[in-house]
Amino acid sequence: MTDRTDQLRDLARASLRRIGAAVPSGTGLAARTPITGAELFALRASTAGEVTRAVGEAAEAFRAWRTTPAPVRGELVRTLGDLLRAHRADLADLITIEVGKIRSEALGEVQEMIDICDFAVGLSRQLYGRTIASERPGHRLAETWHPLGVVGVISAFNFPAAVWSWNTAIALVCGDAVVWKPSELTPLVSIATSHLLDRAIARTGAPAGLHRLLLAGREAGETLVGDPRVDLVSATGSTRMGREVGPRVAARFGRVLLELGGNNAAVVAPSADLDLALRGIVFAAAGTAGQRCTTLRRLIVHRDVADQLVERLAAVYGRLPVGDPFDDGTLVGPLITEAAADTMAAALDRAQAEGGKLVAGGRRTGGPGAYAEPAIVRMPRQTAIVREETFAPILYVLTYDTFDEAVALHNDVPHGLSSSIFTRDQQEAERFLAADGSDCGIANVNIGTSGAEIGGAFGGEKATGGGRESGSDAWRAYMRRATNTVNYSSTLSLAQNVSFLT
Ligand code: NAD
């Protein structure tokens, strides 16, 4: 395995070299690979002083950037997109090395970054405000969107580059500067990505301090969160993290955008196309080794089709290739750490203690590296463990008799991120999407819970935090709105017919 670790270290070095990025060697942080579980590089962590300095530099750069015309700001993001296209394979290698994603998913993550850059470039000419009918003659009422300031981006390990790009591409065209605190588990991807943006900044002549990278653990995130010069904290990660970050930002009247955990479910109705459902379910539940915020964790199946569907799922799970994500044919890579595999094993024990029956997978395979077979557990009801997010490939199966029962089970968890229904009954599909249907930020029909496109707004309700990022009008979170009343008459008329000094 040392050989394999050496190979991966060489591959990482070669990718970083082609990108042009240097690894700051030192102490305080380690770059590791879940493929063998070994350390690749010892890195120098950012100090508290560097965090403070980074925010100051970003605030300084913002002062120049906010008056740069938005379409000119778009040129920076276009250049970043070009560099991402040129280094797609290099970045995907680093994602596979550091997160363990299979090749196709790692390439998909980089594609998502390119897509959001394209979206943001278009957006740079479409930061529209409304013109509103004024109630007073000779008056114009309008709204203008202005750049907000410094955006602190805190991101999770499982989408080490895409989440940054959702925030950064949009923030930059909106006229903001960004300070990024990535996951301590993915420093190499962060160094590479950040360097590509530095190259784009240098090439376009944008202010150098527009983007700052902090390589450090949670403490750096805490410093960032507490800094009053950070106007928006966009934090992606666990609900535990959001519970700490949200109130701290609110206490200083900062803005917060929270993208937290999910406990996503799919309803499978008796009319469902089971072939289609099967593929949708397996990708959503076992893909990315169950380490997506939108991973399918609960399957709510009509009693009439439950046995048949579970049997077919168990057969597919029995053949899922688990292993080195660089190997052709592997569909399930490693879990991020040994601790994650322990958490998975503990959850399976609890599920069985709560009356569940393990019908597929769940065993550790291979190693070194935390490899585990994705698991399916049939549950007698929605017990405590089912209502929790365990960040591992465990699919709990519940059965239902009536549609109302399915929706009630579906919504009876703390999180509200992603959901789907497999049905050929249009009435049922529409009821699932209606106001009293799924309570999630994402609700799908005949497709799984994961793998969103960048064009829609992404995020969820309840313990998922309520934030929206990426497409649609999510850009508004990165700008401040000014309402303008312009009186172009010669009289001063007051709103609501108020009379004063007449
Ligand atoms: P995590 O909460 O452990 O860490 C996320 C980030 O927050 C890291 O950069 C970490 O250093 C930082 N952090 C932790 N505590 C902090 C604090 N008190 N103050 C400031 N920063 C702090 O999450 P993780 O294990 O890296 O990622 C998995 C979790 O992220 C899952 O719950 C998953 O559902 C969620 N996630 C959500 C989305 C989404 O868009 N909703 C996307 C990806 C992942």
Side-chain angles (χ1 to χ4, degrees):
M1 254 329 128
T2 312
D3 286 354
R4 184 67 185 129
T5 301
D6 288 343
Q7 283 169 0
L8 293 169
R9 191 179 290 115
D10 288 346
L11 192 57
R13 257 198 211 106
S15 299
L16 288 162
R17 196 180 317 115
R18 282 191 293 273
I19 284 169
V23 176
S25 52
T27 56
L29 202 65
R32 312 183 68 86
T33 176
I35 298 174
T36 61
E39 182 173 316
L40 297 173
F41 303 103
L43 305 174
R44 194 182 75 75
S46 309
T47 61
E50 284 168 336
V51 178
T52 305
R53 194 170 339 123
V55 177
E57 287 166 356
E60 183 63 36
F62 167 70
R63 276 188 275 281
W65 194 236
R66 66 183 164 180
T67 51
T68 303
V72 177
R73 300 194 297 243
E75 279 303 311
L76 169 61
V77 176
R78 184 198 307 279
T79 307
L80 172 64
D82 289 346
L83 287 167
L84 289 169
R85 278 185 172 85
H87 291 285
R88 194 166 169 239
D90 295 326
L91 214 44
D93 278 350
L94 291 170
I95 291 170
T96 298
I97 291 168
E98 255 185 342
V99 183
K101 288 192 188 189
I102 61 169
R103 187 81 190 146
S104 158
E105 291 196 49
L107 285 166
E109 176 159 357
V110 186
Q111 186 57 47
E112 196 170 336
M113 302 173 78
I114 295 167
D115 292 346
I116 196 72
C117 285
D118 287 352
F119 180 92
V121 174
L123 184 65
S124 71
R125 290 180 185 272
Q126 299 174 78
L127 299 168
Y128 302 138
R130 290 192 175 93
T131 302
I132 299 144
S134 171
E135 65 192 48
R136 287 170 282 186
H139 282 63
R140 187 166 65 79
L141 187 56
E143 61 186 21
T144 313
W145 289 88
H146 293 301
L148 184 66
V150 176
V151 179
V153 176
I154 295 174
S155 57
F157 80 85
N158 64 325
F159 274 90
V163 166
W164 168 83
S165 67
W166 291 359
N167 282 285
T168 304
I170 303 289
L172 289 175
V173 297
C174 287
D176 301 329
V178 173
V179 180
W180 182 23
K181 210 305 275 174
S183 166
E184 46 276 48
L185 299 174
T186 57
L188 299 183
V189 175
S190 319
I191 290 167
T193 318
S194 182
H195 186 74
L196 289 176
L197 178 54
D198 286 345
R199 282 174 59 187
I201 287 173
R203 204 179 279 180
T204 54
L210 263 190
H211 184 257
R212 286 288 175 256
L213 169 67
L214 306 173
L215 285 179
R218 177 189 301 194
E219 336 68 62
E222 287 169 0
T223 309
L224 193 62
V225 163
D227 196 318
R229 297 169 299 171
V230 179
D231 301 273
L232 167 67
V233 174
S234 175
T236 300
S238 59
T239 295
R240 178 205 56 76
M241 178 275 287
R243 258 198 199 101
E244 289 165 14
V245 168
R248 288 197 60 211
V249 182
R252 60 174 177 84
F253 297 109
R255 255 197 228 177
V256 73
L257 194 166
L258 296 176
E259 295 282 354
L260 311 176
N263 188 351
N264 317 295
V267 173
V268 183
S271 68
D273 174 339
L274 290 189
D275 293 334
L276 183 130
L278 193 77
R279 286 190 57 209
I281 291 164
V282 177
F283 172 68
T288 331
Q291 299 173 115
R292 285 193 189 217
C293 52
T294 50
T295 288
L296 178 61
R297 309 201 179 279
R298 299 175 298 134
L299 197 60
I300 302 168
V301 194
H302 192 273
R303 196 171 300 280
D304 288 353
V305 289
D307 288 346
Q308 183 195 350
L309 181 62
V310 170
E311 199 177 307
R312 290 182 64 184
L313 278 169
V316 175
Y317 266 53
R319 298 193 301 269
L320 276 179
V322 180
D324 189 319
F326 276 111
D327 288 350
D328 287 343
T330 295
L331 291 181
V332 181
L335 290 167
I336 188 72
T337 54
E338 280 297 324
D342 292 346
T343 304
M344 176 175 175
L348 288 174
D349 287 347
R350 261 181 74 191
Q352 290 172 93
E354 290 173 7
K357 184 165 177 281
L358 184 68
V359 294
R363 281 177 310 210
R364 287 291 300 269
T365 62
Y371 294 87
E373 294 170 344
I376 302 176
V377 191
R378 272 191 95 154
M379 297 299 298
R381 60 191 182 284
Q382 190 146 267
T383 63
I385 188 69
V386 180
R387 297 179 75 254
E388 280 178 26
E389 179 197 48
T390 300
F391 214 56
I394 303 176
L395 181 63
Y396 299 111
V397 182
L398 304 160
T399 47
Y400 77 91
D401 293 300
T402 66
F403 180 79
D404 287 344
E405 193 192 337
V407 171
L409 270 174
H410 176 277
N411 292 347
D412 186 24
V413 291
H415 297 96
L417 180 52
S418 186
S419 61
S420 71
I421 186 166
F422 289 91
T423 182
R424 281 186 281 206
D425 178 333
Q426 192 188 357
Q427 214 173 31
E428 245 178 16
E430 291 293 342
R431 282 184 66 195
F432 187 73
L433 304 182
D436 55 354
S438 160
D439 62 0
C440 289
I442 298 169
N444 299 336
V445 176
N446 289 330
I447 184 102
T449 50
S450 65
E453 299 178 20
I454 59 97
F458 183 94
E461 306 300 338
K462 305 192 294 187
T464 302
R468 290 295 184 280
E469 55 191 18
S470 191
S472 185
D473 63 352
W475 60 270
R476 292 178 180 208
Y478 301 81
M479 300 197 85
R480 65 181 175 87
R481 180 194 329 231
T483 301
N484 315 125
T485 304
V486 178
N487 176 8
Y488 57 91
S489 74
S490 319
T491 50
L492 190 81
S493 47
L494 300 177
Q496 295 89 41
N497 289 324
V498 169
S499 169
F500 196 87
L501 278 182
T502 46

